[in-house]
Amino acid sequence: TFEKNFSNFIGLNHCVTVNSGTDAIVLALKALGIGTGDEVITVSHTAVATVAAIELCGAIPVLVDVDPKSYCLNPEMLETVVSEKTKAILPVHLYGHAADMPSIMAFAKEHGLFVIEDCAQAHLATINGKKAGQFGNIATWSFYPGKNLGAMGDAGAITTQDPALARHMSCFARHGGLVKGDHEMEGINSRLDGLQAAILRVKLPHLANWTAKRRTVAKRYNEMLADIAQIKTPTEVAGREHVYHLYVIETENRDNLGAFLKTQGIPTVINYKSALPFLPAYAYLGHVPEDFPVAFGLQNRILSLPMFAELDEAQQDSIAEAISAFYGVVK
């Protein structure tokens, strides 16, 4: 029931539930025949799961820098890394802001590449009125508890318009068969627990209202922090509606600000502390900061402020007042 409801909600014909957003990407790549030696272009600034999934398929992650406004894949970088081995592009709609899908899709069409949209943080984000997830061959979703639509444990899904891809992924996630004991292919166990699906089914009708509330919270943050010159608030690129999975500011004094807010009882998070090329796990790729000037700069400047649909005005006032006090701005 949840698969049917979610596919209708997103506006695609097929939804396959799996046990995590990471598995969703793995299954999507495998369904497209991507494996050992193939290259998949993705972003340098994202959660590690995006790149880990590529490696789990035996493919090679090829990282590019991000756009400084949206923090999403910069389409202008694609031409610099595409090769004969490139099979797919995996853009991430980061923090709830959609990537430039029209440009990415045009490039993919020109070069005959698959596109998998990582929508883990972008439930209901739009590009020119069209929902994230409706552009590529396949879209992958996470319902980890902290997501805009979250389960009470790990959960994920894959959506597509292609019935053959949907059937393949559904089989693969259920030990290679849709009927118990009838295994059509080698597969894995990535079934979504029925309890998590039931929870998601009940929460799904509330998502649009929760999203509107997140946007209201973000708008108010923007207004309250506008006079603090040391802070850059999130940019919403024209034509793309941000759903604010996270509200991420930039500031040169990030660590001290975070420490000060903690003393005021205000939690903050850094998403993400290191761009992927500079994590020990990906040292083998041999990158240097100059390869990713935007992503490298962001890792020392970004800070996520409290963001959730139920954040009330009094709580938000106290957050803004504490930030203003830290920078000596009188309200």
Side-chain angles (χ1 to χ4, degrees), residues 112-188:
L113 305 175
F114 295 117
V115 175
I116 301 166
E117 295 179 66
D118 184 341
C119 301
Q121 301 182 7
H123 313 73
L124 287 188
T126 62
I127 305 102
N128 299 323
K130 187 175 179 179
K131 291 176 183 173
Q134 293 185 346
F135 291 84
N137 301 91
I138 300 174
T140 64
W141 306 84
S142 171
F143 306 118
Y144 183 78
K147 296 296 191 284
N148 291 24
L149 178 64
M152 296 299 288
D154 281 312
I158 311 157
T159 52
T160 182
Q161 286 291 77
D162 189 320
L165 286 176
R167 190 181 191 284
H168 179 98
M169 292 183 290
S170 188
C171 276
F172 192 86
R174 291 152 180 80
H175 285 304
L178 297 179
V179 178
K180 188 172 182 179
D182 184 8
H183 306 285
E184 303 174 24
M185 64 181 78
E186 293 180 335
I188 61 172

Side-chain angles (χ1 to χ4, degrees), residues 29 60 81 108 114-115 119 140 162 195 200 203 205 251 255-256 264 275 294 297 316-317 326 329-330:
L29 291 166
I60 302 166
V81 296
F114 295 117
V115 175
C119 301
T140 64
D162 189 320
L195 179 60
L200 291 167
K203 295 177 75 173
T251 179
D255 292 338
N256 289 338
Q264 306 302 302
V294 178
Q316 207 171 5
D317 288 343
F326 177 80
V329 176
V330 179

Side-chain angles (χ1 to χ4, degrees), residues 311-324:
L311 189 68
D312 62 40
E313 290 191 358
Q315 292 171 317
Q316 207 171 5
D317 288 343
S318 67
I319 295 166
E321 288 167 5
I323 294 173
S324 297

